[in-house]
Amino acid sequence: VQLQAFGGGLVQPGGSLRLSCAASGITLDDYAIGWIRQAPGKEREGVSCASRRDGNVLYADSVKGRFTISRDNAKNTVYLQMNNLTHGDTAAYYCAIPPGCWRISADQVMGVPLYRGQGTQVTVSS
């Protein structure tokens, strides 16, 4: 199983980025999908999770209303649209395949991932 995230970069506060994650060796339609981020010196956050079938989509409180997770099963790809970015969004972002989506805390919306891909760095700076 390989999950390769890309689309990160340097963006100014208030800007937008769209991350993509291409999967191979696994059919995303069979699983819940999610995005994790980790900044230096901070706990890992499970920022977004979408269930396989029931339409359940969860976001961490810190990104609610600004981030949108989606999937294209035909392309076996997951996306994370990030709008109105702030300095606090600076982190390495990883796509993940969790066992399911549920709210563990304000900043954790998935179980421990079954698979986690290589990350892409997002830096928000003026």
Side-chain angles (χ1 to χ4, degrees):
V1 176
Q2 288 190 331
L3 302 170
Q4 180 62 58
F6 52 95
L10 176 64
V11 62
Q12 292 186 341
S16 297
L17 281 176
R18 188 194 194 203
L19 305 183
S20 301
C21 175
S24 60
I26 194 169
T27 300
L28 292 180
D29 193 29
D30 293 337
Y31 294 89
I33 57 173
W35 287 90
I36 296 167
R37 70 182 182 186
Q38 186 153 27
K42 293 186 177 181
E43 292 289 323
R44 186 180 66 190
E45 290 183 273
V47 297
S48 183
C49 189
S51 295
R52 176 189 172 196
R53 298 288 188 190
D54 64 6
N56 184 34
V57 180
L58 298 176
Y59 296 96
D61 288 356
S62 59
V63 307
K64 198 177 298 182
R66 300 187 298 119
F67 288 14
T68 303
I69 188 173
S70 62
R71 69 168 92 201
D72 185 333
N73 290 328
K75 295 182 179 180
N76 216 29
T77 299
V78 181
Y79 303 98
L80 185 68
Q81 177 67 42
M82 307 186 295
N83 298 328
N84 195 20
L85 287 161
T86 71
H87 292 107
D89 296 317
T90 294
Y93 284 73
Y94 305 84
C95 58
I97 306 297
C101 303
W102 56 87
R103 186 171 297 279
I104 299 171
S105 67
D107 56 8
Q108 293 291 348
V109 295
M110 68 182 79
V112 176
L114 303 172
Y115 304 101
R116 192 186 83 170
Q118 294 183 339
T120 185
Q121 178 68 35
V122 173
T123 302
V124 184
S125 176
S126 53

